[in-house]
């Protein structure tokens, strides 16, 4: 059967050879070497066919089938063709051109990209921190600016009030004006101090009356002084002043317990003096002499004299213009039933509270008088 197929193929080959050149070819010629001028067999598609292929089994189309080749030989042949074939021709097993060769992605190190990302994150953190600090600084500056503005405004207002108060006080002192409506009604009487001289403490308390009660006792040990004990009495039945308190009596006792000096203090408003200037209260209203006369001592008007220099009894603030206090001590002699007694007096005007509030009625005005045995 195989022999019959081979004969058939051989006959077909001879027939095709005859068709090609019109000459019949013998068996010897069939196996002769193929020269450049010797025609090659073509398959149905026009491709040249070698001698080995000529004896391959014939397919249904009448052409000999190609015999399977060794895969290793095929790989070698395609490799050789890939080397010998120009770049612009077909090469490789699939005949792929240069334009069809895929781009090769070479591995790239991520070290540079990692460093850049690290620096970028660090820079963002630094920028965020700087922005936060700037925001906090702006907030702090705004807060302190508001506080400074508020304090400056308050200080300016206080200074204005103090200056106005000082100007009003100065004007009152210069013009000698008084506010009769502000506490000009007499509310209390001066205690008869001369009647307390020479009596014991208990007798003195009884004579004083007006709800007198001991509020303070102090022992005195001063060389050359006859005073051994000092006692303070508060007149609780008398109307109290909101700034200077209730009227008080001061008793100085000797070693035998007898009163050798008696004093009295009260707000000038309780004694019926309104918002008089300091100078006017002394020189025009004779507040010192009137109080001594109520205390039982005979004195003449003009017994209390102010110094000619106002600075001798005035105290000013550091600005040199705001009046803080006026105080002056006076002394003299008077008579009781023909007997002469020495006396002392102190008048005090304190403007600190008035300067703060801007209200002259807040001025503390207190009169102190003493009669000696």
């Amino acid at each position: 059967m195989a022999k019959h197929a081979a004969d058939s193929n051989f006959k077909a080959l001879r027939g095709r050879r005859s068709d090609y050149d019109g000459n019949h070819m013998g068996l010897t010629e069939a196996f002769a070497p193929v020269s450049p001028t010797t025609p090659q067999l073509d398959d149905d598609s026009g491709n040249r066919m070698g001698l080995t292929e000529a004896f391959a089994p014939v397919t249904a189309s009448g052409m000999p089938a190609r015999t399977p080749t060794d895969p290793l030989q095929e790989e070698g042949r395609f490799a050789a063709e890939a080397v010998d074939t120009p770049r612009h021709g077909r090469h490789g097993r699939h005949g792929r051109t240069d334009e069809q060769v895929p781009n090769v992605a070479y591995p790239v190190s991520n070290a540079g990209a990692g460093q850049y990302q690290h620096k970028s994150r660090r820079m963002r953190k630094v920028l965020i921190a700087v922005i936060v600090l700037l925001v906090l600084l702006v907030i702090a500056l705004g807060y302190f600016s508001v506080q400074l503005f508020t304090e400056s405004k308050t200080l300016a207002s206080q200074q204005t009030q103090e200056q106005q108060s000082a100007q009003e006080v100065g004007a009152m002192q210069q013009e000698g004006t008084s506010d009769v409506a502000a506490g000009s009604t007499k509310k209390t009487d001066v205690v008869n101090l001369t009647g307390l001289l020479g009596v014991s403490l208990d007798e003195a308390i009884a004579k004083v009356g007006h709800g007198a009660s001991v509020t303070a006792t102090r022992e005195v040990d001063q060389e050359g002084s006859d005073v051994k004990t000092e006692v303070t009495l508060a007149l609780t039945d008398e109307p109290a002043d909101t700034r200077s308190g209730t009227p008080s009596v001061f008793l100085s006792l000797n070693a035998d317990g007898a009163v050798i000096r008696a004093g009295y203090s009260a707000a000038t408003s309780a004694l019926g003096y309104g918002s008089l200037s300091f100078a006017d209260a002394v020189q025009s209203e004779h507040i010192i002499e009137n109080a001594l006369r109520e205390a039982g001592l005979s004195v003449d008007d003009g017994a209390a004299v102010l110094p000619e220099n106002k600075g001798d009894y005035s105290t000013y603030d550091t600005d040199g213009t705001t009046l803080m206090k006026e105080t002056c001590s006076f002394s003299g002699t008077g008579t009781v039933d023909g007997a002469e007694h020495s006396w002392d007096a102190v008048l005090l005007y304190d403007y600190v509270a008035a300067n703060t509030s801007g209200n002259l009625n807040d001025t503390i005005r207190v009169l102190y008088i003493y009669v000696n045995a």
Side-chain angles (χ1 to χ4, degrees), residues 139-360:
I139 294 174
L141 289 176
Y143 173 79
F144 286 115
S145 297
V146 172
Q147 292 295 321
L148 181 61
F149 175 76
T150 304
E151 292 179 0
S152 299
K153 187 176 180 180
T154 302
L155 181 60
S157 177
Q158 291 178 351
Q159 290 178 347
T160 301
Q161 292 178 353
E162 291 176 357
Q163 291 176 356
Q164 291 177 352
S165 177
Q167 291 174 357
E168 292 176 0
V169 171
M172 289 177 61
Q173 292 173 347
Q174 293 176 0
E175 298 174 3
T177 59
S178 62
D179 184 3
V180 178
S184 60
T185 303
K186 188 175 176 61
K187 300 177 182 178
T188 187
D189 296 324
V190 179
V191 174
N192 186 352
L193 299 180
T194 59
L196 303 178
L197 298 176
V199 302
S200 65
L201 176 60
D202 293 337
E203 292 175 333
I205 294 174
K207 286 187 175 184
V208 169
H210 301 286
S213 61
V214 176
T215 57
T217 301
R218 184 175 71 89
E219 300 296 329
V220 178
D221 186 11
Q222 184 176 356
E223 186 177 356
S225 175
D226 294 334
V227 177
K228 301 302 179 182
T229 305
E230 290 184 347
V231 180
T232 300
L233 305 178
L235 307 183
T236 58
D237 290 346
E238 296 294 316
D241 184 80
T242 56
R243 290 173 290 275
S244 59
T246 60
S248 300
V249 171
F250 309 98
L251 303 175
S252 298
L253 309 176
N254 60 14
D256 297 332
V259 176
I260 58 176
R261 188 171 187 247
Y264 176 82
S265 71
T268 58
S269 59
L271 297 174
Y273 300 94
S275 301
L276 297 171
S277 68
F278 191 85
D280 200 27
V282 175
Q283 296 175 346
S284 300
E285 298 297 326
H286 303 288
I287 187 172
I288 305 296
E289 293 89 341
N290 291 335
L292 289 172
R293 282 192 283 265
E294 285 191 54
L297 192 62
S298 178
V299 294
D300 297 330
D301 288 344
V305 179
L306 276 175
E308 294 182 1
N309 185 6
K310 183 180 178 180
D312 293 340
Y313 58 87
S314 300
T315 302
Y316 293 91
D317 200 357
T318 54
D319 58 7
T321 58
T322 303
L323 187 61
M324 302 296 292
K325 182 171 64 175
E326 288 180 300
T327 181
C328 187
S329 298
F330 307 91
S331 61
T333 60
T335 60
V336 179
D337 297 332
E340 189 175 88
H341 295 269
S342 63
W343 59 269
D344 299 283
V346 176
L347 183 63
L348 169 66
Y349 276 28
D350 189 339
Y351 301 105
V352 174
N355 291 337
T356 302
S357 66
N359 186 357
L360 283 175

